[in-house]
PDB file of all heavy atoms in Angstrom:
ATOM      1  N   LEU X  18       0.422   7.529   5.908  1.00 97.00           N
ATOM      2  CA  LEU X  18       1.534   6.559   5.861  1.00 97.00           C
ATOM      3  C   LEU X  18       1.759   6.012   4.576  1.00 97.00           C
ATOM      4  O   LEU X  18       3.020   5.944   3.986  1.00 97.00           O
ATOM      5  CB  LEU X  18       1.486   5.461   6.939  1.00 97.00           C
ATOM      6  CG  LEU X  18       2.531   4.499   7.025  1.00 97.00           C
ATOM      7  CD1 LEU X  18       3.884   5.128   7.419  1.00 97.00           C
ATOM      8  CD2 LEU X  18       2.224   3.457   8.019  1.00 97.00           C
ATOM      9  N   VAL X  19       0.745   5.561   3.937  1.00 97.00           N
ATOM     10  CA  VAL X  19       0.813   4.960   2.542  1.00 97.00           C
ATOM     11  C   VAL X  19       1.398   5.983   1.592  1.00 97.00           C
ATOM     12  O   VAL X  19       2.124   5.729   0.651  1.00 97.00           O
ATOM     13  CB  VAL X  19      -0.560   4.424   2.260  1.00 97.00           C
ATOM     14  CG1 VAL X  19      -0.432   3.924   0.720  1.00 97.00           C
ATOM     15  CG2 VAL X  19      -0.910   3.204   2.979  1.00 97.00           C
ATOM     16  N   ARG X  20       0.867   7.238   1.763  1.00 97.00           N
ATOM     17  CA  ARG X  20       1.385   8.316   0.762  1.00 97.00           C
ATOM     18  C   ARG X  20       2.974   8.538   0.939  1.00 97.00           C
ATOM     19  O   ARG X  20       3.637   8.514  -0.097  1.00 97.00           O
ATOM     20  CB  ARG X  20       0.626   9.663   1.108  1.00 97.00           C
ATOM     21  CG  ARG X  20      -0.756   9.754   0.479  1.00 97.00           C
ATOM     22  CD  ARG X  20      -1.198  11.159   0.977  1.00 97.00           C
ATOM     23  NE  ARG X  20      -2.671  11.428   0.620  1.00 97.00           N
ATOM     24  CZ  ARG X  20      -3.243  11.768  -0.485  1.00 97.00           C
ATOM     25  NH1 ARG X  20      -2.257  11.997  -1.489  1.00 97.00           N
ATOM     26  NH2 ARG X  20      -4.385  11.959  -0.692  1.00 97.00           N
ATOM     27  N   LEU X  21       3.296   8.475   2.174  1.00 97.00           N
ATOM     28  CA  LEU X  21       4.827   8.737   2.390  1.00 97.00           C
ATOM     29  C   LEU X  21       5.651   7.575   1.756  1.00 97.00           C
ATOM     30  O   LEU X  21       6.540   7.736   1.120  1.00 97.00           O
ATOM     31  CB  LEU X  21       5.029   8.784   3.923  1.00 97.00           C
ATOM     32  CG  LEU X  21       6.417   9.172   4.365  1.00 97.00           C
ATOM     33  CD1 LEU X  21       6.277   9.693   5.793  1.00 97.00           C
ATOM     34  CD2 LEU X  21       7.311   7.781   4.518  1.00 97.00           C
ATOM     35  N   LEU X  22       5.254   6.343   2.083  1.00 97.00           N
ATOM     36  CA  LEU X  22       5.907   5.088   1.563  1.00 97.00           C
ATOM     37  C   LEU X  22       5.765   5.032   0.078  1.00 97.00           C
ATOM     38  O   LEU X  22       6.819   4.678  -0.595  1.00 97.00           O
ATOM     39  CB  LEU X  22       5.278   3.929   2.035  1.00 97.00           C
ATOM     40  CG  LEU X  22       5.317   3.811   3.673  1.00 97.00           C
ATOM     41  CD1 LEU X  22       4.631   2.559   4.207  1.00 97.00           C
ATOM     42  CD2 LEU X  22       6.814   3.789   4.166  1.00 97.00           C
ATOM     43  N   GLY X  23       4.769   5.463  -0.551  1.00 96.00           N
ATOM     44  CA  GLY X  23       4.649   5.368  -2.109  1.00 96.00           C
ATOM     45  C   GLY X  23       5.498   6.377  -2.692  1.00 96.00           C
ATOM     46  O   GLY X  23       6.002   6.109  -3.783  1.00 96.00           O
ATOM     47  N   GLU X  24       5.645   7.575  -2.020  1.00 96.00           N
ATOM     48  CA  GLU X  24       6.485   8.615  -2.608  1.00 96.00           C
ATOM     49  C   GLU X  24       7.920   8.150  -2.616  1.00 96.00           C
ATOM     50  O   GLU X  24       8.704   8.521  -3.369  1.00 96.00           O
ATOM     51  CB  GLU X  24       6.334   9.951  -1.766  1.00 96.00           C
ATOM     52  CG  GLU X  24       5.053  10.556  -2.065  1.00 96.00           C
ATOM     53  CD  GLU X  24       4.883  11.227  -3.374  1.00 96.00           C
ATOM     54  OE1 GLU X  24       5.867  11.516  -4.048  1.00 96.00           O
ATOM     55  OE2 GLU X  24       3.762  11.502  -3.826  1.00 96.00           O
ATOM     56  N   TRP X  25       8.295   7.329  -1.564  1.00 97.00           N
ATOM     57  CA  TRP X  25       9.756   6.926  -1.396  1.00 97.00           C
ATOM     58  C   TRP X  25      10.125   5.809  -2.317  1.00 97.00           C
ATOM     59  O   TRP X  25      10.744   5.946  -3.302  1.00 97.00           O
ATOM     60  CB  TRP X  25       9.955   6.508   0.069  1.00 97.00           C
ATOM     61  CG  TRP X  25      11.318   6.182   0.273  1.00 97.00           C
ATOM     62  CD1 TRP X  25      12.441   7.101   0.437  1.00 97.00           C
ATOM     63  CD2 TRP X  25      11.995   4.865   0.499  1.00 97.00           C
ATOM     64  NE1 TRP X  25      13.483   6.329   0.660  1.00 97.00           N
ATOM     65  CE2 TRP X  25      13.296   5.037   0.693  1.00 97.00           C
ATOM     66  CE3 TRP X  25      11.333   3.710   0.578  1.00 97.00           C
ATOM     67  CZ2 TRP X  25      14.209   4.016   0.969  1.00 97.00           C
ATOM     68  CZ3 TRP X  25      12.253   2.542   0.804  1.00 97.00           C
ATOM     69  CH2 TRP X  25      13.562   2.753   1.016  1.00 97.00           C
ATOM     70  N   GLY X  26       9.685   4.426  -1.990  1.00 89.00           N
ATOM     71  CA  GLY X  26       9.747   3.448  -2.894  1.00 89.00           C
ATOM     72  C   GLY X  26      11.068   3.021  -3.484  1.00 89.00           C
ATOM     73  O   GLY X  26      11.206   2.531  -4.647  1.00 89.00           O
ATOM     74  N   ARG X  27      12.153   3.065  -2.588  1.00 94.00           N
ATOM     75  CA  ARG X  27      13.553   2.657  -3.177  1.00 94.00           C
ATOM     76  C   ARG X  27      13.871   1.279  -3.117  1.00 94.00           C
ATOM     77  O   ARG X  27      14.735   0.753  -3.960  1.00 94.00           O
ATOM     78  CB  ARG X  27      14.536   3.642  -2.595  1.00 94.00           C
ATOM     79  CG  ARG X  27      14.373   5.168  -2.839  1.00 94.00           C
ATOM     80  CD  ARG X  27      15.638   5.920  -2.423  1.00 94.00           C
ATOM     81  NE  ARG X  27      15.471   7.290  -2.789  1.00 94.00           N
ATOM     82  CZ  ARG X  27      16.368   8.151  -2.448  1.00 94.00           C
ATOM     83  NH1 ARG X  27      17.451   7.880  -1.970  1.00 94.00           N
ATOM     84  NH2 ARG X  27      16.091   9.490  -2.819  1.00 94.00           N
ATOM     85  N   ILE X  28      13.416   0.614  -1.968  1.00 97.00           N
ATOM     86  CA  ILE X  28      13.584  -0.863  -2.010  1.00 97.00           C
ATOM     87  C   ILE X  28      12.209  -1.461  -1.663  1.00 97.00           C
ATOM     88  O   ILE X  28      11.164  -0.702  -1.354  1.00 97.00           O
ATOM     89  CB  ILE X  28      14.552  -1.255  -0.780  1.00 97.00           C
ATOM     90  CG1 ILE X  28      14.083  -0.846   0.581  1.00 97.00           C
ATOM     91  CG2 ILE X  28      15.900  -0.710  -1.149  1.00 97.00           C
ATOM     92  CD1 ILE X  28      14.904  -1.426   1.742  1.00 97.00           C
ATOM     93  N   PRO X  29      11.913  -2.810  -1.864  1.00 97.00           N
ATOM     94  CA  PRO X  29      10.630  -3.241  -1.512  1.00 97.00           C
ATOM     95  C   PRO X  29      10.075  -2.957  -0.130  1.00 97.00           C
ATOM     96  O   PRO X  29      10.800  -3.033   0.969  1.00 97.00           O
ATOM     97  CB  PRO X  29      10.812  -4.709  -1.690  1.00 97.00           C
ATOM     98  CG  PRO X  29      11.953  -4.947  -2.629  1.00 97.00           C
ATOM     99  CD  PRO X  29      12.913  -3.796  -2.316  1.00 97.00           C
ATOM    100  N   VAL X  30       8.880  -2.577  -0.151  1.00 98.00           N
ATOM    101  CA  VAL X  30       8.230  -2.279   1.240  1.00 98.00           C
ATOM    102  C   VAL X  30       6.935  -3.057   1.291  1.00 98.00           C
ATOM    103  O   VAL X  30       6.050  -3.032   0.239  1.00 98.00           O
ATOM    104  CB  VAL X  30       7.957  -0.769   1.376  1.00 98.00           C
ATOM    105  CG1 VAL X  30       7.039  -0.488   2.627  1.00 98.00           C
ATOM    106  CG2 VAL X  30       9.145   0.057   1.292  1.00 98.00           C
ATOM    107  N   THR X  31       6.689  -3.845   2.321  1.00 98.00           N
ATOM    108  CA  THR X  31       5.451  -4.525   2.468  1.00 98.00           C
ATOM    109  C   THR X  31       4.589  -3.748   3.474  1.00 98.00           C
ATOM    110  O   THR X  31       5.040  -3.519   4.665  1.00 98.00           O
ATOM    111  CB  THR X  31       5.490  -5.914   2.951  1.00 98.00           C
ATOM    112  OG1 THR X  31       6.327  -6.696   1.806  1.00 98.00           O
ATOM    113  CG2 THR X  31       4.265  -6.664   3.229  1.00 98.00           C
ATOM    114  N   TYR X  32       3.362  -3.212   3.089  1.00 97.00           N
ATOM    115  CA  TYR X  32       2.520  -2.509   4.029  1.00 97.00           C
ATOM    116  C   TYR X  32       1.416  -3.573   4.607  1.00 97.00           C
ATOM    117  O   TYR X  32       0.914  -4.269   3.900  1.00 97.00           O
ATOM    118  CB  TYR X  32       1.790  -1.402   3.364  1.00 97.00           C
ATOM    119  CG  TYR X  32       0.625  -0.753   4.129  1.00 97.00           C
ATOM    120  CD1 TYR X  32       0.927   0.184   5.065  1.00 97.00           C
ATOM    121  CD2 TYR X  32      -0.655  -1.206   3.912  1.00 97.00           C
ATOM    122  CE1 TYR X  32      -0.133   0.743   5.742  1.00 97.00           C
ATOM    123  CE2 TYR X  32      -1.699  -0.701   4.803  1.00 97.00           C
ATOM    124  CZ  TYR X  32      -1.333   0.331   5.636  1.00 97.00           C
ATOM    125  OH  TYR X  32      -2.449   0.813   6.392  1.00 97.00           O
ATOM    126  N   ALA X  33       1.131  -3.438   5.916  1.00 95.00           N
ATOM    127  CA  ALA X  33       0.041  -4.164   6.511  1.00 95.00           C
ATOM    128  C   ALA X  33      -0.779  -3.317   7.437  1.00 95.00           C
ATOM    129  O   ALA X  33      -0.180  -2.430   8.232  1.00 95.00           O
ATOM    130  CB  ALA X  33       0.594  -5.382   7.200  1.00 95.00           C
ATOM    131  N   GLY X  34      -2.066  -3.360   7.417  1.00 93.00           N
ATOM    132  CA  GLY X  34      -2.882  -2.680   8.399  1.00 93.00           C
ATOM    133  C   GLY X  34      -4.124  -2.040   7.787  1.00 93.00           C
ATOM    134  O   GLY X  34      -4.132  -1.105   6.884  1.00 93.00           O
ATOM    135  N   GLY X  35      -5.194  -2.425   8.171  1.00 92.00           N
ATOM    136  CA  GLY X  35      -6.500  -1.931   7.976  1.00 92.00           C
ATOM    137  C   GLY X  35      -7.383  -2.272   6.703  1.00 92.00           C
ATOM    138  O   GLY X  35      -8.401  -1.884   6.522  1.00 92.00           O
ATOM    139  N   ILE X  36      -6.622  -3.068   5.937  1.00 95.00           N
ATOM    140  CA  ILE X  36      -7.406  -3.523   4.618  1.00 95.00           C
ATOM    141  C   ILE X  36      -8.505  -4.466   4.970  1.00 95.00           C
ATOM    142  O   ILE X  36      -8.325  -5.518   5.654  1.00 95.00           O
ATOM    143  CB  ILE X  36      -6.418  -4.133   3.682  1.00 95.00           C
ATOM    144  CG1 ILE X  36      -5.418  -3.143   3.224  1.00 95.00           C
ATOM    145  CG2 ILE X  36      -7.259  -4.660   2.445  1.00 95.00           C
ATOM    146  CD1 ILE X  36      -4.289  -3.576   2.208  1.00 95.00           C
ATOM    147  N   GLY X  37      -9.754  -3.903   4.570  1.00 95.00           N
ATOM    148  CA  GLY X  37     -10.949  -4.922   4.916  1.00 95.00           C
ATOM    149  C   GLY X  37     -11.830  -5.105   3.720  1.00 95.00           C
ATOM    150  O   GLY X  37     -12.834  -5.795   3.772  1.00 95.00           O
ATOM    151  N   SER X  38     -11.439  -4.557   2.521  1.00 96.00           N
ATOM    152  CA  SER X  38     -12.272  -4.574   1.311  1.00 96.00           C
ATOM    153  C   SER X  38     -11.451  -4.467   0.116  1.00 96.00           C
ATOM    154  O   SER X  38     -10.239  -4.012   0.234  1.00 96.00           O
ATOM    155  CB  SER X  38     -13.410  -3.667   1.235  1.00 96.00           C
ATOM    156  OG  SER X  38     -12.775  -2.325   1.295  1.00 96.00           O
ATOM    157  N   PHE X  39     -11.965  -4.755  -1.087  1.00 96.00           N
ATOM    158  CA  PHE X  39     -11.298  -4.539  -2.351  1.00 96.00           C
ATOM    159  C   PHE X  39     -11.199  -3.032  -2.662  1.00 96.00           C
ATOM    160  O   PHE X  39     -10.200  -2.531  -3.268  1.00 96.00           O
ATOM    161  CB  PHE X  39     -12.015  -5.199  -3.488  1.00 96.00           C
ATOM    162  CG  PHE X  39     -11.618  -6.686  -3.486  1.00 96.00           C
ATOM    163  CD1 PHE X  39     -12.603  -7.567  -2.809  1.00 96.00           C
ATOM    164  CD2 PHE X  39     -10.624  -7.331  -4.004  1.00 96.00           C
ATOM    165  CE1 PHE X  39     -12.319  -8.992  -2.860  1.00 96.00           C
ATOM    166  CE2 PHE X  39     -10.247  -8.626  -3.996  1.00 96.00           C
ATOM    167  CZ  PHE X  39     -11.119  -9.432  -3.453  1.00 96.00           C
ATOM    168  N   ALA X  40     -12.007  -2.217  -2.075  1.00 96.00           N
ATOM    169  CA  ALA X  40     -11.926  -0.727  -2.114  1.00 96.00           C
ATOM    170  C   ALA X  40     -10.662  -0.340  -1.330  1.00 96.00           C
ATOM    171  O   ALA X  40      -9.893   0.723  -1.902  1.00 96.00           O
ATOM    172  CB  ALA X  40     -13.172   0.018  -1.615  1.00 96.00           C
ATOM    173  N   ASP X  41     -10.396  -0.768  -0.280  1.00 96.00           N
ATOM    174  CA  ASP X  41      -9.229  -0.537   0.540  1.00 96.00           C
ATOM    175  C   ASP X  41      -7.950  -0.829  -0.377  1.00 96.00           C
ATOM    176  O   ASP X  41      -6.908  -0.269  -0.251  1.00 96.00           O
ATOM    177  CB  ASP X  41      -9.156  -1.104   1.830  1.00 96.00           C
ATOM    178  CG  ASP X  41     -10.278  -0.661   2.863  1.00 96.00           C
ATOM    179  OD1 ASP X  41     -10.738   0.408   2.674  1.00 96.00           O
ATOM    180  OD2 ASP X  41     -10.706  -1.595   3.628  1.00 96.00           O
ATOM    181  N   LEU X  42      -8.083  -2.060  -0.994  1.00 96.00           N
ATOM    182  CA  LEU X  42      -6.927  -2.501  -1.778  1.00 96.00           C
ATOM    183  C   LEU X  42      -6.554  -1.464  -2.875  1.00 96.00           C
ATOM    184  O   LEU X  42      -5.610  -1.169  -3.180  1.00 96.00           O
ATOM    185  CB  LEU X  42      -7.264  -3.935  -2.298  1.00 96.00           C
ATOM    186  CG  LEU X  42      -6.128  -4.711  -2.828  1.00 96.00           C
ATOM    187  CD1 LEU X  42      -5.058  -4.956  -1.815  1.00 96.00           C
ATOM    188  CD2 LEU X  42      -6.556  -6.058  -3.367  1.00 96.00           C
ATOM    189  N   LYS X  43      -7.642  -0.990  -3.494  1.00 95.00           N
ATOM    190  CA  LYS X  43      -7.514  -0.031  -4.532  1.00 95.00           C
ATOM    191  C   LYS X  43      -7.035   1.337  -4.002  1.00 95.00           C
ATOM    192  O   LYS X  43      -6.266   1.984  -4.689  1.00 95.00           O
ATOM    193  CB  LYS X  43      -8.823   0.161  -5.305  1.00 95.00           C
ATOM    194  CG  LYS X  43      -9.268  -0.956  -6.246  1.00 95.00           C
ATOM    195  CD  LYS X  43     -10.368  -0.635  -7.129  1.00 95.00           C
ATOM    196  CE  LYS X  43     -10.814  -1.859  -8.049  1.00 95.00           C
ATOM    197  NZ  LYS X  43      -9.793  -2.131  -9.062  1.00 95.00           N
ATOM    198  N   ALA X  44      -7.430   1.606  -2.793  1.00 97.00           N
ATOM    199  CA  ALA X  44      -6.796   2.859  -2.275  1.00 97.00           C
ATOM    200  C   ALA X  44      -5.373   2.660  -1.995  1.00 97.00           C
ATOM    201  O   ALA X  44      -4.627   3.630  -2.213  1.00 97.00           O
ATOM    202  CB  ALA X  44      -7.600   3.118  -0.982  1.00 97.00           C
ATOM    203  N   LEU X  45      -5.009   1.549  -1.498  1.00 97.00           N
ATOM    204  CA  LEU X  45      -3.499   1.374  -1.326  1.00 97.00           C
ATOM    205  C   LEU X  45      -2.770   1.367  -2.654  1.00 97.00           C
ATOM    206  O   LEU X  45      -1.737   1.966  -2.560  1.00 97.00           O
ATOM    207  CB  LEU X  45      -3.387  -0.034  -0.634  1.00 97.00           C
ATOM    208  CG  LEU X  45      -1.951  -0.566  -0.314  1.00 97.00           C
ATOM    209  CD1 LEU X  45      -1.234   0.413   0.652  1.00 97.00           C
ATOM    210  CD2 LEU X  45      -1.865  -1.991  -0.008  1.00 97.00           C
ATOM    211  N   GLN X  46      -3.225   0.794  -3.627  1.00 95.00           N
ATOM    212  CA  GLN X  46      -2.649   0.968  -4.934  1.00 95.00           C
ATOM    213  C   GLN X  46      -2.582   2.449  -5.363  1.00 95.00           C
ATOM    214  O   GLN X  46      -1.467   2.762  -5.855  1.00 95.00           O
ATOM    215  CB  GLN X  46      -3.480   0.132  -5.932  1.00 95.00           C
ATOM    216  CG  GLN X  46      -2.785   0.053  -7.369  1.00 95.00           C
ATOM    217  CD  GLN X  46      -3.709  -0.445  -8.534  1.00 95.00           C
ATOM    218  OE1 GLN X  46      -4.887  -0.621  -8.116  1.00 95.00           O
ATOM    219  NE2 GLN X  46      -3.148  -0.743  -9.566  1.00 95.00           N
ATOM    220  N   MET X  47      -3.564   3.184  -5.269  1.00 96.00           N
ATOM    221  CA  MET X  47      -3.648   4.531  -5.654  1.00 96.00           C
ATOM    222  C   MET X  47      -2.651   5.426  -4.813  1.00 96.00           C
ATOM    223  O   MET X  47      -1.702   6.014  -5.344  1.00 96.00           O
ATOM    224  CB  MET X  47      -4.941   5.006  -5.675  1.00 96.00           C
ATOM    225  CG  MET X  47      -5.008   6.511  -5.974  1.00 96.00           C
ATOM    226  SD  MET X  47      -6.729   7.201  -6.100  1.00 96.00           S
ATOM    227  CE  MET X  47      -7.144   7.242  -4.325  1.00 96.00           C
ATOM    228  N   TYR X  48      -2.848   5.474  -3.482  1.00 97.00           N
ATOM    229  CA  TYR X  48      -1.947   6.227  -2.540  1.00 97.00           C
ATOM    230  C   TYR X  48      -0.610   5.803  -2.609  1.00 97.00           C
ATOM    231  O   TYR X  48       0.374   6.621  -2.294  1.00 97.00           O
ATOM    232  CB  TYR X  48      -2.623   6.377  -1.378  1.00 97.00           C
ATOM    233  CG  TYR X  48      -4.018   7.131  -1.213  1.00 97.00           C
ATOM    234  CD1 TYR X  48      -5.013   6.566  -0.855  1.00 97.00           C
ATOM    235  CD2 TYR X  48      -4.074   8.395  -1.620  1.00 97.00           C
ATOM    236  CE1 TYR X  48      -6.364   7.165  -0.863  1.00 97.00           C
ATOM    237  CE2 TYR X  48      -5.217   9.247  -1.496  1.00 97.00           C
ATOM    238  CZ  TYR X  48      -6.335   8.528  -1.192  1.00 97.00           C
ATOM    239  OH  TYR X  48      -7.563   9.163  -1.210  1.00 97.00           O
ATOM    240  N   GLY X  49      -0.300   4.476  -2.714  1.00 97.00           N
ATOM    241  CA  GLY X  49       0.974   4.070  -2.679  1.00 97.00           C
ATOM    242  C   GLY X  49       1.634   3.917  -4.000  1.00 97.00           C
ATOM    243  O   GLY X  49       2.837   3.357  -4.173  1.00 97.00           O
ATOM    244  N   LYS X  50       0.978   4.456  -5.133  1.00 95.00           N
ATOM    245  CA  LYS X  50       1.490   4.637  -6.389  1.00 95.00           C
ATOM    246  C   LYS X  50       1.904   3.104  -7.010  1.00 95.00           C
ATOM    247  O   LYS X  50       2.842   3.005  -7.703  1.00 95.00           O
ATOM    248  CB  LYS X  50       2.653   5.530  -6.501  1.00 95.00           C
ATOM    249  CG  LYS X  50       2.217   6.931  -6.203  1.00 95.00           C
ATOM    250  CD  LYS X  50       3.511   7.922  -6.342  1.00 95.00           C
ATOM    251  CE  LYS X  50       2.860   9.354  -6.193  1.00 95.00           C
ATOM    252  NZ  LYS X  50       3.949  10.241  -6.403  1.00 95.00           N
ATOM    253  N   ASN X  51       1.196   2.146  -6.435  1.00 93.00           N
ATOM    254  CA  ASN X  51       1.306   0.829  -6.961  1.00 93.00           C
ATOM    255  C   ASN X  51       2.865   0.306  -6.669  1.00 93.00           C
ATOM    256  O   ASN X  51       3.287  -0.661  -7.296  1.00 93.00           O
ATOM    257  CB  ASN X  51       1.080   0.620  -8.404  1.00 93.00           C
ATOM    258  CG  ASN X  51       0.564  -0.744  -8.819  1.00 93.00           C
ATOM    259  OD1 ASN X  51       0.035  -1.542  -7.978  1.00 93.00           O
ATOM    260  ND2 ASN X  51       0.840  -1.177 -10.182  1.00 93.00           N
ATOM    261  N   LYS X  52       3.534   0.891  -5.670  1.00 94.00           N
ATOM    262  CA  LYS X  52       4.844   0.549  -5.379  1.00 94.00           C
ATOM    263  C   LYS X  52       4.908  -0.395  -4.201  1.00 94.00           C
ATOM    264  O   LYS X  52       6.030  -1.102  -4.029  1.00 94.00           O
ATOM    265  CB  LYS X  52       5.700   1.718  -5.111  1.00 94.00           C
ATOM    266  CG  LYS X  52       5.809   2.573  -6.226  1.00 94.00           C
ATOM    267  CD  LYS X  52       6.755   3.789  -5.877  1.00 94.00           C
ATOM    268  CE  LYS X  52       6.980   4.838  -6.995  1.00 94.00           C
ATOM    269  NZ  LYS X  52       7.743   6.034  -6.580  1.00 94.00           N
ATOM    270  N   LEU X  53       3.903  -0.486  -3.319  1.00 97.00           N
ATOM    271  CA  LEU X  53       3.958  -1.108  -2.089  1.00 97.00           C
ATOM    272  C   LEU X  53       3.354  -2.600  -2.224  1.00 97.00           C
ATOM    273  O   LEU X  53       2.343  -2.831  -2.943  1.00 97.00           O
ATOM    274  CB  LEU X  53       3.075  -0.568  -1.044  1.00 97.00           C
ATOM    275  CG  LEU X  53       3.464   0.976  -0.727  1.00 97.00           C
ATOM    276  CD1 LEU X  53       2.626   1.547   0.340  1.00 97.00           C
ATOM    277  CD2 LEU X  53       4.865   1.150  -0.451  1.00 97.00           C
ATOM    278  N   ASN X  54       4.080  -3.572  -1.573  1.00 97.00           N
ATOM    279  CA  ASN X  54       3.536  -5.021  -1.499  1.00 97.00           C
ATOM    280  C   ASN X  54       2.445  -4.960  -0.275  1.00 97.00           C
ATOM    281  O   ASN X  54       2.490  -3.901   0.585  1.00 97.00           O
ATOM    282  CB  ASN X  54       4.515  -5.977  -1.261  1.00 97.00           C
ATOM    283  CG  ASN X  54       5.521  -6.045  -2.410  1.00 97.00           C
ATOM    284  OD1 ASN X  54       5.133  -5.861  -3.583  1.00 97.00           O
ATOM    285  ND2 ASN X  54       6.765  -6.233  -2.089  1.00 97.00           N
ATOM    286  N   VAL X  55       1.574  -5.861  -0.347  1.00 97.00           N
ATOM    287  CA  VAL X  55       0.514  -5.740   0.757  1.00 97.00           C
ATOM    288  C   VAL X  55       0.246  -7.039   1.499  1.00 97.00           C
ATOM    289  O   VAL X  55       0.377  -8.195   0.939  1.00 97.00           O
ATOM    290  CB  VAL X  55      -0.804  -5.429  -0.040  1.00 97.00           C
ATOM    291  CG1 VAL X  55      -1.234  -6.321  -1.082  1.00 97.00           C
ATOM    292  CG2 VAL X  55      -1.932  -5.228   1.001  1.00 97.00           C
ATOM    293  N   THR X  56      -0.025  -6.909   2.750  1.00 95.00           N
ATOM    294  CA  THR X  56      -0.341  -8.062   3.530  1.00 95.00           C
ATOM    295  C   THR X  56      -1.895  -7.871   3.934  1.00 95.00           C
ATOM    296  O   THR X  56      -2.198  -6.710   4.290  1.00 95.00           O
ATOM    297  CB  THR X  56       0.368  -8.159   4.850  1.00 95.00           C
ATOM    298  OG1 THR X  56       1.766  -8.644   4.497  1.00 95.00           O
ATOM    299  CG2 THR X  56      -0.099  -9.270   5.769  1.00 95.00           C
ATOM    300  N   ILE X  57      -2.597  -8.918   3.926  1.00 95.00           N
ATOM    301  CA  ILE X  57      -4.068  -8.785   4.285  1.00 95.00           C
ATOM    302  C   ILE X  57      -4.204  -9.862   5.341  1.00 95.00           C
ATOM    303  O   ILE X  57      -4.055 -11.072   5.063  1.00 95.00           O
ATOM    304  CB  ILE X  57      -4.954  -9.013   3.087  1.00 95.00           C
ATOM    305  CG1 ILE X  57      -4.840  -7.993   2.147  1.00 95.00           C
ATOM    306  CG2 ILE X  57      -6.422  -8.946   3.601  1.00 95.00           C
ATOM    307  CD1 ILE X  57      -5.620  -8.158   0.768  1.00 95.00           C
ATOM    308  N   GLY X  58      -4.726  -9.669   6.548  1.00 91.00           N
ATOM    309  CA  GLY X  58      -4.826 -10.563   7.497  1.00 91.00           C
ATOM    310  C   GLY X  58      -6.188 -10.907   7.919  1.00 91.00           C
ATOM    311  O   GLY X  58      -6.818 -11.786   7.268  1.00 91.00           O
ATOM    312  N   SER X  59      -6.834 -10.146   8.788  1.00 90.00           N
ATOM    313  CA  SER X  59      -8.231 -10.539   9.225  1.00 90.00           C
ATOM    314  C   SER X  59      -9.345 -10.580   8.349  1.00 90.00           C
ATOM    315  O   SER X  59     -10.368 -11.157   8.273  1.00 90.00           O
ATOM    316  CB  SER X  59      -8.596  -9.655  10.489  1.00 90.00           C
ATOM    317  OG  SER X  59      -7.713  -9.872  11.562  1.00 90.00           O
ATOM    318  N   ALA X  60      -9.077  -9.682   7.170  1.00 94.00           N
ATOM    319  CA  ALA X  60     -10.148  -9.514   6.214  1.00 94.00           C
ATOM    320  C   ALA X  60     -10.101 -10.746   5.221  1.00 94.00           C
ATOM    321  O   ALA X  60     -11.021 -10.878   4.396  1.00 94.00           O
ATOM    322  CB  ALA X  60      -9.919  -8.275   5.418  1.00 94.00           C
ATOM    323  N   LEU X  61      -9.042 -11.550   5.292  1.00 96.00           N
ATOM    324  CA  LEU X  61      -9.001 -12.560   4.232  1.00 96.00           C
ATOM    325  C   LEU X  61      -9.840 -13.726   4.549  1.00 96.00           C
ATOM    326  O   LEU X  61      -9.932 -14.041   5.781  1.00 96.00           O
ATOM    327  CB  LEU X  61      -7.442 -13.019   4.111  1.00 96.00           C
ATOM    328  CG  LEU X  61      -7.025 -13.575   2.799  1.00 96.00           C
ATOM    329  CD1 LEU X  61      -7.125 -12.716   1.655  1.00 96.00           C
ATOM    330  CD2 LEU X  61      -5.644 -14.059   2.959  1.00 96.00           C
TER     331      LEU X  61
END
């Protein structure tokens, strides 16, 4: 899903779901091409 959203990126998109570590945050940045905003819930 993150790959798909990162390839698109025409208006702001906030992604939420599954982030539990800083490694996950870096994965989101990489696969989302640094285009996605991020919500972190239970891991915060």
Side-chain angles (χ1 to χ4, degrees):
L18 177 62
V19 169
R20 284 182 187 271
L21 185 156
L22 298 175
E24 290 287 343
W25 184 74
R27 295 190 178 181
I28 65 173
V30 176
T31 296
Y32 169 86
I36 293 178
S38 67
F39 285 94
D41 292 333
L42 198 59
K43 288 188 178 296
L45 179 66
Q46 180 189 14
M47 179 178 67
Y48 292 116
K50 297 189 173 181
N51 210 26
K52 294 179 181 178
L53 307 181
N54 299 322
V55 59
T56 291
I57 303 173
S59 300
L61 209 60

